[in-house]
């Protein structure tokens, strides 16, 4: 008779799997960045170019602030890229056998992304506001050429800043907790 000693997996045994997921999440995120930037380009071109990105769409009631076209671009780009990223992450990055229904996973994913997007909105505004300490300065950044457009670079930098938070919270909550909670209710 042969006995085999079976030990519980250590946390370090999961490192390769988590790293693979992070790389996949990054690749999906990279594709989402492309989607987000394409939305930004299309919206800005339809609005007459990035030179019009700071146009006021409406005043924010009860404040001295305004909702500008650049903020609309950020929100629409986020929403479209979020749905794109969710589907790819659901079917490729975090493809476990037990999945919750699509909307049960999507709403938490959207909530996490929305929190990051809300923070990102202020980061993007800071990059494009001349009174901000992190304003993207001339002569490199300006609205006279697409490649040096402050509007596009601020969009890209903000996405890169908010992406790590998105990964951690989505891994721990959306694709782990929500699925395990759904799995527990299905098994019960």
């Amino acid at each position: 008779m042969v006995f085999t000693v079976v030990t519980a997996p250590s946390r370090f045994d999961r490192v390769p799997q988590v790293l693979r997921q992070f790389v996949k999440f990054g690749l999906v995120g990279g594709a989402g960045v492309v989607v987000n930037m394409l939305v930004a380009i299309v919206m800005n071109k339809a609005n007459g170019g990035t030179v019009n990105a700071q146009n006021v769409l409406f005043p924010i009631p009860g404040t001295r602030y305004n909702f500008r076209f650049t903020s609309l671009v950020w929100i629409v780009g986020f929403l479209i890229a979020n749905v794109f990223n969710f589907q790819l992450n659901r079917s490729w990055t975090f493809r476990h056998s037990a999945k919750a229904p699509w909307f049960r996973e999507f709403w938490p994913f959207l909530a996490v992304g929305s929190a990051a997007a809300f923070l990102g909105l202020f980061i993007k505004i800071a990059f494009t506001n001349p009174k901000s300490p992190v304003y993207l300065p001339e002569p490199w950044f300006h609205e006279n050429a697409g490649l040096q457009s402050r509007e596009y670079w601020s969009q890209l930098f903000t996405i890169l800043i908010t992406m790590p938070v998105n990964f951690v919270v989505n891994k721990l909550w959306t694709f782990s907790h929500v699925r395990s909670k759904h799995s527990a209710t299905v098994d019960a």
Side-chain angles (χ1 to χ4, degrees):
M1 191 176 253
V2 176
F3 292 98
T4 305
V5 176
V6 177
T7 60
S10 74
R11 287 189 168 161
F12 296 109
D13 294 339
R14 297 201 60 224
V15 169
Q17 176 192 2
V18 171
L19 286 175
R20 268 191 312 278
Q21 286 177 336
F22 182 74
V23 169
K24 286 180 173 183
F25 191 86
L27 291 171
V28 169
V33 168
V34 171
V35 168
N36 192 307
M37 293 306 294
L38 288 173
V39 169
I41 290 167
V42 167
M43 287 183 71
N44 277 294
K45 289 209 181 274
N47 191 43
T50 59
V51 70
N52 296 320
Q54 293 300 320
N55 288 354
V56 173
L57 297 179
F58 57 87
I60 299 173
T63 72
R64 59 185 181 101
Y65 301 105
N66 298 303
F67 187 82
R68 299 179 183 276
F69 187 76
T70 187
S71 299
L72 179 64
V73 169
W74 175 254
I75 292 167
V76 172
F78 156 73
L79 289 172
I80 292 171
N82 187 268
V83 172
F84 175 85
N85 285 4
F86 171 73
Q87 188 53 48
L88 275 179
N89 277 317
R90 177 180 163 85
S91 60
W92 185 52
T93 308
F94 301 107
R95 61 171 188 244
H96 299 306
S97 57
K99 290 182 181 174
W102 197 88
F103 278 110
R104 278 229 178 123
E105 288 183 353
F106 175 71
W107 294 122
F109 188 84
L110 180 64
V112 169
S114 294
F118 183 74
L119 173 65
L121 182 60
F122 291 100
I123 295 169
K124 184 179 182 192
I125 290 169
F127 282 142
T128 59
N129 183 338
K131 295 178 183 175
S132 166
V134 293
Y135 177 67
L136 299 178
E138 291 182 357
W140 175 251
F141 300 104
H142 53 79
E143 300 310 327
N144 298 329
L147 189 57
Q148 293 176 297
S149 170
R150 184 177 292 111
E151 177 68 15
Y152 295 144
W153 282 102
S154 65
Q155 185 99 356
L156 182 62
F157 290 158
T158 303
I159 292 167
L160 296 175
I161 290 168
T162 58
M163 191 168 124
V165 173
N166 246 334
F167 170 75
V168 171
V169 179
N170 274 311
K171 173 168 178 39
L172 297 177
W173 185 43
T174 307
F175 294 109
S176 284
H177 177 71
V178 171
R179 283 186 176 177
S180 64
K181 184 177 176 183
H182 173 73
S183 178
T185 60
V186 169
D187 293 341

